[in-house]
């Protein structure tokens, strides 16, 4: 992307270049229009923003730390690596930045029933948490396979008062949980607010979720300047499933061409086998209300995704990431399950931080990224979540 071109996506129809839009049943069109209006008014309101940022500070625990990873840096080469510690947020991941914003919108719109989808369970826990905080009914849809490998998060959601509904169709993972949540929304549009957990779905969700997560990148700028005297690093690295943690880190830097941006997908068992590398191996198609890159078979049907990480096990990706790929503003690559497990061990043994399997993909990719940064350069990795939820899977593969 040329440094002289101002990046201003999306347009008024929610299009990031050719991607995005709103491909939904007719019954949801007025609901989405009401949501667009409510979000636009809220995001222009100092009262709403003050309430949102106050909750981020007093409830979520922001700002999160920017941690210098000296031993990790020494292992990987002549670079200085920092970790943006979203794992220190209340509930253990970045997801709550978004659920705080959306629950405030739900209350503003008079909705009394909250629904959500979840894969790794972190978005489900974050949704259940804010629903409990504001006393609203909460139903979370989760694939039966994900419920088995993320049993701890299922227990947390139930303890928080949410009803977790098992989805047994299809791959029994995130895609199918999202399908069921949308069916619920279509059946109950009047009183129900659907808190989508990533920068996916129909307009305005991709820009709305991005707006609530930009606090990650905004904090990084100020914290890095305080630590190094430079607001801009040489590179930013984040894992990409739907893409919310990555876009939250990247967006405040997109128009800074000297900052290299690296998104890391899940290569699963390898790009010639089962994987979830949508940007690496997908092609444009419509899924869950938006046009974006999508894993498809020769007939255009959605292919089953696979990743050791439940949070990256999704056959689509946010439309803004699709546009950033086409613009070549972000370099997207893919890391296998085996490499991700190496990333878990690497960060755990060098820094005493056990990352989520999602984050571990970004950590593992560093070995390929350090050579693309100048000697002594600075890299910031988004530590999007902690690994407590993944210990059962990690132990089974050790």
């Amino acid at each position: 992307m040329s440094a002289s071109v101002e990046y201003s996506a999306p347009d008024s129809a929610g299009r990031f270049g050719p991607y995005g839009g709103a491909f939904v049943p007719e019954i949801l069109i007025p609901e989405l229009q009401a949501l667009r209006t409510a979000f636009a008014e809220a995001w222009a309101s100092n009262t709403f923003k003050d309430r949102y940022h106050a909750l981020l500070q007093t409830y979520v625990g922001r700002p999160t730390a920017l941690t210098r990873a000296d031993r990790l840096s020494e292992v990987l080469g002549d670079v200085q690596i920092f970790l943006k510690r979203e794992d220190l947020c209340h509930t253990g991941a970045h997801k709550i930045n978004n659920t705080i914003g959306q629950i405030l919108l739900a209350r503003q719109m008079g909705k009394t029933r909250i629904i959500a989808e979840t894969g790794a369970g972190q978005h489900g826990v974050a949704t259940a948490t804010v629903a409990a905080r504001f006393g609203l009914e909460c139903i979370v849809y989760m694939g039966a396979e994900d419920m088995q490998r993320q049993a701890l998060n299922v227990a947390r959601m139930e303890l928080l008062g949410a009803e977790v509904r098992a989805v047994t169709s299809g791959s029994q993972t995130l895609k199918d949980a999202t399908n069921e949540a949308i069916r619920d929304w279509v059946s109950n549009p009047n009183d129900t607010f659907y808190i989508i957990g990533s920068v996916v779905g129909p307009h305005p969700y991709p820009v709305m979720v991005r707006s609530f997560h930009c606090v990650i990148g905004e904090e990084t700028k100020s914290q890095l300047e305080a630590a190094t005297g430079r607001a801009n690093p040489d590179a930013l690295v984040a894992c990409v499933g739907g893409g919310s943690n990555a876009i939250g880190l990247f967006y405040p830097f997109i128009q800074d061409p000297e900052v290299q941006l690296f998104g890391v997908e899940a290569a699963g068992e390898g790009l010639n086998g089962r994987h979830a590398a949508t940007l690496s191996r997908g092609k444009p198609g419509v899924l869950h209300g938006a046009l974006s890159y999508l894993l498809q078979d020769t007939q255009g049907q959605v292919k089953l995704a696979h990743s050791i990480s439940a949070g990256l096990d999704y056959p689509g990706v946010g439309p803004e990431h699709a546009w950033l790929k086409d613009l070549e503003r972000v370099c997207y690559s893919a890391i296998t399950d085996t490499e991700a497990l190496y990333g878990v061990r690497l960060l755990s043994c060098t820094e005493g931080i056990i990352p989520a399997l999602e984050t571990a993909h970004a950590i593992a990719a560093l070995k390929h990224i350090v050579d693309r940064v100048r000697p002594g350069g600075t890299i910031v990795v988004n530590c999007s979540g902690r690994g407590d939820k993944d210990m059962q899977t990690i132990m089974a593969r050790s």
Side-chain angles (χ1 to χ4, degrees):
M1 184 175 72
S2 171
S4 63
V5 177
E6 182 177 356
Y7 184 82
S8 58
D11 63 16
S12 60
R15 292 279 187 172
F16 301 84
Y19 307 106
F23 299 84
V24 297
E26 186 175 353
I27 193 172
L28 291 181
I29 292 176
E31 295 301 314
L32 285 172
Q33 184 55 56
L35 180 58
R36 289 172 203 144
T37 300
F39 172 67
E41 291 176 352
W43 209 234
S45 164
N46 288 334
T47 300
F48 179 92
K49 283 188 171 180
D50 288 348
R51 177 64 169 147
Y52 170 65
H53 285 290
L55 284 167
L56 290 184
Q57 180 179 5
T58 63
Y59 191 65
V60 176
R62 304 206 72 92
T64 57
L66 186 69
T67 300
R68 188 187 299 268
D70 289 330
R71 294 195 64 235
L72 178 64
S73 303
E74 183 179 349
V75 167
L76 291 172
D78 186 14
V79 292
Q80 180 59 70
I81 298 170
F82 288 84
L83 306 172
K84 182 55 175 163
R85 300 293 305 282
E86 296 301 289
D87 58 315
L88 298 179
C89 286
H90 178 41
T91 73
H94 70 290
K95 295 291 188 180
I96 197 166
N97 302 323
N98 170 51
T99 61
I100 287 285
Q102 289 202 51
I103 201 82
L104 291 176
L105 276 179
R107 282 166 53 85
Q108 179 175 300
M109 296 175 71
K111 303 294 186 177
T112 58
R113 181 174 179 269
I114 301 298
I115 61 171
E117 85 297 328
T118 197
Q122 288 302 121
H123 174 60
V125 170
T127 301
T129 296
V130 297
R133 170 66 176 75
F134 289 100
L136 298 179
E137 177 187 2
C138 181
I139 296 168
V140 179
Y141 290 91
M142 189 172 189
E145 179 178 327
D146 287 341
M147 289 181 71
Q148 290 184 5
R149 56 181 172 173
Q150 299 293 340
L152 175 62
N153 275 343
V154 174
R156 293 171 74 193
M157 285 183 274
E158 291 175 341
L159 183 60
L160 289 160
E163 177 188 349
V164 183
R165 293 186 180 176
V167 177
T168 57
S169 59
S171 62
Q172 302 182 26
T173 57
L174 181 57
K175 171 182 71 71
D176 310 289
T178 305
N179 290 343
E180 291 303 318
I182 291 173
R183 291 190 184 100
D184 185 317
W185 193 22
V186 169
S187 301
N188 303 283
N190 294 329
D191 65 343
T192 297
F193 191 101
Y194 180 13
I195 297 183
I196 291 181
S198 195
V199 285
V200 299
H203 178 52
Y205 279 100
V207 69
M208 184 170 70
V209 176
R210 176 241 278 168
S211 297
F212 292 139
H213 279 308
C214 276
V215 64
I216 301 171
E218 290 164 356
E219 287 179 4
T220 297
K221 271 185 176 282
S222 60
Q223 291 172 322
L224 195 62
E225 184 168 22
T228 68
R230 296 176 61 236
N232 286 349
D234 293 275
L236 298 173
V237 186
C239 63
V240 177
S244 62
N245 92 91
I247 208 68
L249 178 65
F250 294 166
Y251 189 74
F253 297 88
I254 281 178
Q255 297 192 68
D256 299 324
E258 69 274 19
V259 182
Q260 298 182 71
L261 307 178
F262 295 94
V264 186
E265 298 188 287
E269 296 169 355
L271 294 180
N272 293 321
R274 297 193 305 157
H275 62 80
T278 307
L279 291 163
S280 301
R281 286 292 187 269
K283 57 186 178 180
V286 174
L287 178 67
H288 298 144
L291 174 67
S292 186
Y293 277 87
L294 174 63
L295 296 180
Q296 305 172 60
D297 63 20
T298 56
Q299 303 300 314
Q301 298 300 306
V302 181
K303 291 179 67 174
L304 297 181
H306 164 76
S307 172
I308 193 173
S309 162
L312 302 183
D313 191 357
Y314 184 64
V317 68
E320 187 162 14
H321 284 288
W323 186 223
L324 290 169
K325 170 188 166 63
D326 285 4
L327 293 173
E328 299 183 350
R329 179 61 186 97
V330 181
C331 176
Y332 295 95
S333 61
I335 287 295
T336 66
D337 292 347
T338 299
E339 290 173 309
L341 288 166
Y342 160 78
V344 171
R345 292 190 295 273
L346 178 62
L347 189 61
S348 299
C349 292
T350 57
E351 299 295 337
I353 298 170
I354 302 174
L357 281 167
E358 292 82 9
T359 300
H361 284 71
I363 298 297
L366 286 171
K367 63 186 178 183
H368 306 299
I369 293 171
V370 292
D371 290 340
R372 301 179 64 173
V373 174
R374 64 181 176 85
T378 302
I379 301 174
V380 177
V381 185
N382 199 11
C383 197
S384 56
R386 65 179 182 234
D388 309 37
K389 66 183 179 61
D390 295 315
M391 288 307 300
Q392 181 176 343
T393 301
I394 293 167
M395 290 187 295
R397 293 287 296 268
S398 296

